[in-house]
Amino acid sequence: KTDFKGRDAYDLIWMLGEIKRNKLKIPELDPKLKKTILNKAKTIKPFDLEFDLKNYIENQEFVKNFCQNFYTLLESSIKYI
């Protein structure tokens, strides 16, 4: 089992989206660190993520879709850091 907080996963995706939307310039992450983040993210089960987020976000359909697509969102967004 992976130790994580659903809100941390959500905040990470939110932050990466803000970087992309606002074209923020931040130092690039080491490619090895990016790979480590992605590998850890692969171990997060959508059910566990949803269980942790469902009490924080009112729109449960959004929560379900976010959790089912978490890894894809992360993978497509991490290139911006």
Side-chain angles (χ1 to χ4, degrees), residues 13 15-29 34 72-81:
I13 298 299
M15 179 198 69
L16 293 172
E18 287 297 299
I19 290 168
K20 179 183 175 187
R21 277 188 288 284
N22 295 305
K23 298 179 177 134
L24 300 175
K25 301 293 183 200
I26 63 169
E28 188 171 336
L29 282 184
K34 287 182 184 182
T72 302
L73 291 167
L74 179 60
E75 189 176 43
S76 66
S77 300
I78 202 166
K79 63 186 171 190
Y80 296 102
I81 58 171

Side-chain angles (χ1 to χ4, degrees), residues 2-81:
T2 300
D3 292 325
F4 74 96
K5 298 285 186 200
R7 288 179 56 190
D8 291 340
Y10 180 82
D11 288 346
L12 176 60
I13 298 299
W14 178 85
M15 179 198 69
L16 293 172
E18 287 297 299
I19 290 168
K20 179 183 175 187
R21 277 188 288 284
N22 295 305
K23 298 179 177 134
L24 300 175
K25 301 293 183 200
I26 63 169
E28 188 171 336
L29 282 184
D30 182 301
K32 289 180 184 179
L33 180 56
K34 287 182 184 182
K35 186 174 181 177
T36 298
I37 292 168
L38 289 171
N39 286 339
K40 182 153 178 112
K42 279 183 186 178
T43 68
I44 298 173
K45 296 179 178 95
F47 175 83
D48 294 335
L49 187 56
E50 185 176 349
F51 181 80
D52 206 35
L53 285 175
K54 67 183 178 182
N55 294 319
Y56 294 105
I57 299 173
E58 188 174 321
N59 184 331
Q60 294 302 298
E61 189 65 29
F62 172 82
V63 171
K64 186 175 192 115
N65 288 333
F66 174 83
C67 296
Q68 290 174 345
N69 295 296
F70 168 69
Y71 184 80
T72 302
L73 291 167
L74 179 60
E75 189 176 43
S76 66
S77 300
I78 202 166
K79 63 186 171 190
Y80 296 102
I81 58 171

